[in-house]
Each structure stands twice: as C-alpha cells, then as structure tokens.
Amino acid sequence: MSPRWTPNPDVRTGRHVVSHLHVHLVFVTKYRRGAMTDAMLTRCEEVMREVCADFEAELKQFNGEDDHVHLLVQYPPKVQLSKLVNSLKGVSARMLRKEYDSHVRRYLWGGRFWSGSYFAGSCGGAPLTVVAQYIENQKRPI
C-alpha cells in the first residue's frame, strides 16, 4: 500500500473489488398494526445484527416505531439485496413470533408479521449530481 493512502473504514476491500454500498431499509408490520414494543425492537435489532453478520454485512443503524423499523446496512457486492431482505424479515418474524407470541397474536394473525413489501434506498457516497458531472467530464478519446 502507498504510504500516502490512509484507509477509509467505511470502504470495503476484497481481492478484486473496492466497494462502499449502503442501503436504507424500511419494513412495515402487516396491516401497519402497531405490534412492536420497546423490548421487541431491541430483540429485533439483535436478530437483524446476527443475520447481517451471516451475510458479511453490517447493521450500522437501527430504530423503529410500533408499526415499522428502519435499518442502515453496509453490505458487500456479492450479496443480493433481495436475499438479505428476505432473510432479515423471515428470521426476525420467526423469532419475534416465537418469543412474544401472546402479544403478537393481539395485533397480527394468519402467520404474518411483516408486510410483503419493503423500501430500499441506496445511500452514501457522492450525490447523484456530482457523480453525473464527474462522468460527463471524462476525457473521451478522439
């Protein structure tokens, strides 16, 4: 490595790739029912951290309210985002239903915990306008 280069802890390096991938995820409970308690949010965060670790991803931030959760996840390029989301939702739903069954049954029924949909937004790095300007200003060969 060059002595002038100082590593950025947010930039992941692999054998053939350097990446800086972050995604903002939002999961909503089925029917947007307010089923989550503070203890459930704490447990949900623990479960989702474990799932992320299995995918070699890192859960940077987690928070939520009684009917939804927000996650900020840094993940490697080899991970399919849809598979990560399916695992996060599936494992957390199974664990929360198992550990908080009597509470969850009051709000949710039919074996569902999360809504089938989710929000995923890429974030981090330079704004789109800066990237577009950088690409536009490349010196094209004549």
Side-chain angles (χ1 to χ4, degrees):
M1 283 192 195
S2 170
R4 294 175 291 165
W5 185 73
T6 56
N8 181 342
D10 288 335
V11 175
R12 298 173 72 126
T13 58
R15 189 168 178 187
H16 298 287
V17 66
V18 178
S19 66
H20 184 70
L21 300 172
H22 290 82
V23 65
H24 173 208
L25 298 171
V26 181
F27 304 150
V28 178
T29 57
K30 189 73 174 174
Y31 309 116
R32 198 129 186 150
R33 301 270 184 176
M36 302 286 274
T37 63
D38 184 55
M40 289 175 72
L41 284 171
T42 301
R43 181 62 179 135
C44 187
E45 180 179 3
E46 293 169 1
V47 169
M48 289 188 174
R49 281 194 190 282
E50 292 171 9
V51 171
C52 284
D54 290 343
F55 279 84
E56 297 176 21
E58 183 181 353
L59 182 60
K60 295 283 195 174
Q61 290 287 326
F62 177 93
N63 209 346
E65 293 181 9
D66 62 350
D67 63 350
H68 69 280
V69 295
H70 290 266
L71 298 83
L72 178 62
V73 179
Q74 181 181 18
Y75 64 101
K78 68 181 179 179
V79 170
Q80 277 185 302
L81 193 55
S82 60
K83 288 189 178 185
L84 175 62
V85 166
N86 286 340
S87 190
L88 285 167
K89 288 171 73 175
V91 173
S92 64
R94 195 167 43 253
M95 297 301 287
L96 291 173
R97 275 194 168 280
K98 180 177 157 188
E99 296 173 19
Y100 299 95
D101 186 51
S102 61
H103 175 76
V104 172
R105 278 191 208 206
R106 282 187 259 159
Y107 297 93
L108 303 167
W109 54 89
R112 303 277 183 196
F113 190 88
W114 300 112
S115 167
S117 58
Y118 62 93
F119 168 80
S122 63
C123 51
L128 288 177
T129 54
V130 173
V131 174
Q133 185 180 19
Y134 175 77
I135 293 170
E136 184 180 312
N137 292 333
Q138 294 296 297
K139 291 188 167 82
R140 196 176 183 132
I142 302 174

